């Protein structure tokens, strides 16, 4: 098998607005301030207490100091990327990146239900131009987990008019930026968001439990379809997708009793949303981090190597995930994949092995068009705060100094050679 990737393969990395920009004012910022003390006080129990849907937890001794500090849970200045994007894109260009996924912060663009901020739109236009000046293809996400506070106060995604509200924002963003963007991601990981808000820790604006969960998934799916139409009506050539979390579900010991739950999980998590939006997808944006080995409905087992979050590192799971996506007959772009690894102990081998699997999947007929590593920069990891370090580039949050990790240089080499 040739080790080269297709010539047009898009190599790069991803970020999201709230996780890197700093000084956002949205539903998360309000929630962080109200919950930082609680998150710090309950960190040990939350991180090591075990969970039905996950296996593995971080090494508590290694993370305890940061995880018990309330400041860890307040995004604050984050990476100050809103101001420092030029330098950050210089770094991406130095590291040979040819594509970059980032998200627009809805709360900046539409600070009130009836108000839009032209300066914010101009800012994102400048960001896109800064990428293009460096020969980097922008992949623009319209919604990556954060919403304006006014939207949250109306019930967030569970409110009956949520999709119409979102559509007004999408229309404005597409009108202002559409001529400069070829790749759009409408919404990021509907089921992750619904799960974390309705059954997990994240800010829930319309209650928790099963009904709001289903409603949230349904609304985000509809939001995608409408956003797709808005974009395509004005820019028929634009390539539009969602970023879909795809998990490789494997039945423990391949037993029949475990095969059924694995198949059900695969149907609900991987297949359901993609089927519903099949006609409104130009490609599939795949976010992939994990394999879950199911013993009945419990996640069991762990490989030897895990990330700092305790997530198992299974590079071959990406092959299985990609081969599953073949069934939709669409091109695929890996819009996120990576590991929290502050010491940069695993990132390089994991990345190399993942890319070998991607190459194999291409050889076996899955049309993968790009790979965007999560993440370009260390960033704010939602309810876990700042301690998990996903960046190819390390960020010193005290000084805002950036230092590419060794794995970033290895990735730059791979990009230069267009393969391994
Ligand atoms: C999300 C990112 C997040 C990453 C690592 C994905 O689910 O889209 O925002 O940082 O996973 O947890």
């Amino acid at each position: 098998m040739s080790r080269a990737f297709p010539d047009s393969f898009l190599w790069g990395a991803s970020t999201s607005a709230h996780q890197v920009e700093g000084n956002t004012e949205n539903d998360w910022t309000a929630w962080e301030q109200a919950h930082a003390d609680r998150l710090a006080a309950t960190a040990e129990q939350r991180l090591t207490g075990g969970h039905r849907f996950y296996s593995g937890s971080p090494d508590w001794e290694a993370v305890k100091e940061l995880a018990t500090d309330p400041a860890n849970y307040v995004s604050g200045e984050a990476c100050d990327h809103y101001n420092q994007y030029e330098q950050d894109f210089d770094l991406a260009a130095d590291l040979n990146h040819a594509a970059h996924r980032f998200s627009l912060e809805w709360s900046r663009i539409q600070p009130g239900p009836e108000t839009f901020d032209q300066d914010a739109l101009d800012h994102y236009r400048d960001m896109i131009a800064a990428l293009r000046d460096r020969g980097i293809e922008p992949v623009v996400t319209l919604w990556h987990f954060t919403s304006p506070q006014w939207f949250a106060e109306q019930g967030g995604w569970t409110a009956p008019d949520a999709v119409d509200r979102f559509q007004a924002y999408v229309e404005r963003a597409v009108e202002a930026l559409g001529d400069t963007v070829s790749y759009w991601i409408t919404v990021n990981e509907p089921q992750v968001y619904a799960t974390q808000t309705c059954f997990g820790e994240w800010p829930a604006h319309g209650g928790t439990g099963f009904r709001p969960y289903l409603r949230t998934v349904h609304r985000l799916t509809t939001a995608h379809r409408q956003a797709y139409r808005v974009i395509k009506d004005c820019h028929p050539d634009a390539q539009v997708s969602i970023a879909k979390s795809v998990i490789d579900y494997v039945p423990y010991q391949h037993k029949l009793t475990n095969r059924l739950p694995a198949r059900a999980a695969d149907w609900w998590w991987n297949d359901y949303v993609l089927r519903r939006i099949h006609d409104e997808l130009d490609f599939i944006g795949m976010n992939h981090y994990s394999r879950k080995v199911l013993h009945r409905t419990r996640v069991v087992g762990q490989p030897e190597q895990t990330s700092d979050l305790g997530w198992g590192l299974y590079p071959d799971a990406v092959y299985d995930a990609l081969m599953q996506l073949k069934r939709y007959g669409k091109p695929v772009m890996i819009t996120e994949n990576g590991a929290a690894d502050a010491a940069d102990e695993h990132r390089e081998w994991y990345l190399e092995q993942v890319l070998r699997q991607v190459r194999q999947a291409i050889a076996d007929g899955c049309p993968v068009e790009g790979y965007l590593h999560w993440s370009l920069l260390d960033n704010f990891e939602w309810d876990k705060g700042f301690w998990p370090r996903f960046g190819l580039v390390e960020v010193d949050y005290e000084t805002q100094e950036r230092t590419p990790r060794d794995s970033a240089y290895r990735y730059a080499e791979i990009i230069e050679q267009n393969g391994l």
Side-chain angles (χ1 to χ4, degrees), residues 15-16 19 101 144-145 188-189 192-193 196 202 243 245 287-289 309 311 335-340 374-375 379-382 384 388 390:
T15 58
S16 91
Q19 295 180 270
R101 174 178 171 228
H144 194 124
F145 295 159
N188 187 64
E189 301 184 340
V192 170
Y193 179 78
Q196 297 284 10
W202 294 8
S245 158
N287 291 358
H288 170 80
Y289 291 89
L309 279 161
W311 300 355
T335 37
E336 286 183 34
N337 166 252
W374 186 270
S375 174
N379 59 54
F380 181 73
E381 179 59 22
W382 308 113
K384 310 285 185 310
F390 276 91

